Amino acid sequence: MTHHDCAHCSSDACATEMLNLAEANSIETAWHRYEKQQPQCGFGSAGLCCRICLKGPCRIDPFGEGPKYGVCGADRDTIVARHLVRMIAAGTAAHSEHGRHIALAMQHISQGELHDYSIRDEAKLYAIAKTLGVATEGRGLLAIVGDLAAITLGDFQNQDYDKPCAWLAASLTPRRVKRLGDLGLLPHNIDASVAQTMSRTHVGCDADPTNLILGGLRVAMADLDGSMLATELSDALFGTPQPVVSAANLGVMKRGAVNIAVNGHNPMLSDIICDVAADLRDEAIAAGAAEGINIIGICCTGHEVMMRHGVPLATNYLSQELPILTGALEAMVVDVQCIMPSLPRIAECFHTQIITTDKHNKISGATHVPFDEHKAVETAKTIIRMAIAAFGRRDPNRVAIPAFKQKSIVGFSAEAVVAALAKVNADDPLKPLVDNVVNGNIQGIVLFVGCNTTKVQQDSAYVDLAKSLAKRNVLVLATGCAAGAFAKAGLMTSEATTQYAGEGLKGVLSAIGTAAGLGGPLPLVMHMGSCVDNSRAVALATALANKLGVDLSDLPLVASAPECMSEKALAIGSWAVTIGLPTHVGSVPPVIGSQIVTKLVTETAKDLVGGYFIVDTDPKSAGDKLYAAIQERRAGLGL
Ligand code: SF4
Ligand code: SF4
């Protein structure tokens, strides 16, 4: 293992501390593996290699001196476009599989199965019914749940190509529905959209880069549909998040407790684990853990339980290996997506149990405990007892928990934001927000999304960009591992607002926070949840656009994913563009091998859908470009 400059890897002090420990113990982490991958292949980085058929792999010479075509005749533009839209389709499949899981659970609940679950938020259920046009008057709850499940599953089953997915049609602004409908960019069926993307990118099919990219935008909209239904139904099932004070970073682990991390994306099991942990507290104490059981979160599963249970967040994607290195993690329970296959290898050096739970997502070296919703409580108890048993194997001499954690105020669902605004104006809750956008106290809104990548110093691009925009009075929202970065950096606090917000923004956040009884300003960064919860920001933006009688592409609203890495992040970015948002990405997607594709996504898209990609690896200039995009939108509105 080569020596690493750990401070350069992450701006998170706990991560740096653990990386130094990893170095000292010759334990390999993602950062070490990244170094061993250098130099990464230029063809792949530019999107110019194709492995779609067995005549390949084919590579196009980016400088025009070598081969210009793959064996089948595909040129650089076709190859780049096919690769990109396949990535978007994979991201869509991941989010939507999550959504299907929740929808099927709702269907089973309506049929009287799944006794370990109930509808915890009836008000949300009725609100969804209203949105989707399901009658509620005089009907039993389960009948309504059944109808909602049927409509939702219809978004995976409808075969009428011209009939858009129900959730999108009911949730976006009328103008956006019309514009995207006219362009053929409203998907009719999530599964079919993914399948059609795979089909048209098979060897010898779609070879028109523009047509391919349009297909990519259509499948990206299916990603938004899948995310939206996952979020909304999860709220009905587990409760709509409301602001709660929690904490973030590795200091949330406890020496005297059985520490159990939940990692992944889907709340179906992790929410139950949170519920039943209290029941097994005495067993943990009897095993010697005086502080009982401490559930901690990682990645988006972490955000799901942080928002609804106040469970602290240990860390975000890139540093998910590091809680094991504290020597105090008894178990990491994983579900789906963004789980590093390296976890069992690191856990081998400690007493930690890595427990996979989804039959489609197993990892060599991990223990698999199959999750069955029909026996959710039983599965959760089995897992917690495995962790309690692991506590007995902990070596107290190896425990090294960083002392640092940050207070974080989290859980700003769209409903929670509106409720806070209602404290200022009960009759017209959105009015204070609109008024402050109009008078310039709030210049615009930025939604930070996405991951971490070894290509960027962990969390630093988020923190730099957010501070620079907040100073210019831009309201900051965040989800996923972006939200994790901000929580760890202490930007989800009133103190951060006082310290970093521009005067106009500070005044607004203070007035709302005080009126809402927070005893201080709203946090500088509003935590909206996990990756699928980006749909919460869309819901808020749609309400704002409808109130102003404009489209989403008219709002001074931008998105940014400065440390994105996953196919899901590409899908999110692509639907953000499609609904009309200038969207920044800070790690360069594999498109630069094609000028045509690069121009399509960064320029032509603007004329077509209003949104476009801004590719910039420098947070400072990216911040300037996002602010300029906000000003352009303000000017368009006459502000
Ligand atoms: S599809 Fe064409 S470019 Fe791709 S690997 Fe096959 S022959 Fe090569
Ligand atoms: S933000 Fe990216 S890395 Fe983090 S959980 Fe979501 S997809 Fe995974």
Side-chain angles (χ1 to χ4, degrees), residues 264-265 299-300 317 337-338 449-452 480-482 531 565-566 568-569:
H265 283 75
C299 268
C300 286
Y317 169 74
Q337 301 163 25
C338 302
V449 307
C451 331
N452 291 139
C481 289
C531 288
M565 67 88 200
S566 73
K568 291 177 297 166

Side-chain angles (χ1 to χ4, degrees), residues 408-429:
S408 312
I409 307 170
V410 302
F412 289 91
S413 56
E415 290 85 346
V417 173
V418 171
L421 290 166
K423 303 284 184 196
V424 180
N425 186 335
D427 296 332
D428 192 355

Side-chain angles (χ1 to χ4, degrees), residues 461-533:
Y462 289 116
V463 172
D464 292 351
L465 256 167
K467 283 182 184 170
S468 114
L469 289 169
K471 196 172 166 197
R472 288 180 263 186
N473 298 306
V474 176
L475 180 67
V476 183
L477 314 176
T479 62
C481 289
F486 294 128
K488 289 189 294 170
L491 297 191
M492 290 180 169
T493 57
S494 304
E495 292 76 13
T497 305
T498 308
Q499 195 172 351
Y500 300 113
E503 288 309 312
L505 179 64
K506 196 183 298 180
V508 179
L509 295 180
S510 299
I512 299 171
T514 305
L518 282 182
L522 289 176
L524 185 76
V525 179
M526 311 264 274
H527 177 281
M528 291 205 117
S530 64
C531 288
V532 291
D533 293 342

Side-chain angles (χ1 to χ4, degrees), residues 387-406:
I388 293 172
F391 182 82
R393 301 192 295 276
R394 185 197 282 184
D395 178 353
N397 296 321
R398 294 187 73 192
V399 172
I401 302 173
F404 182 76
K405 63 179 172 184
Q406 270 288 0

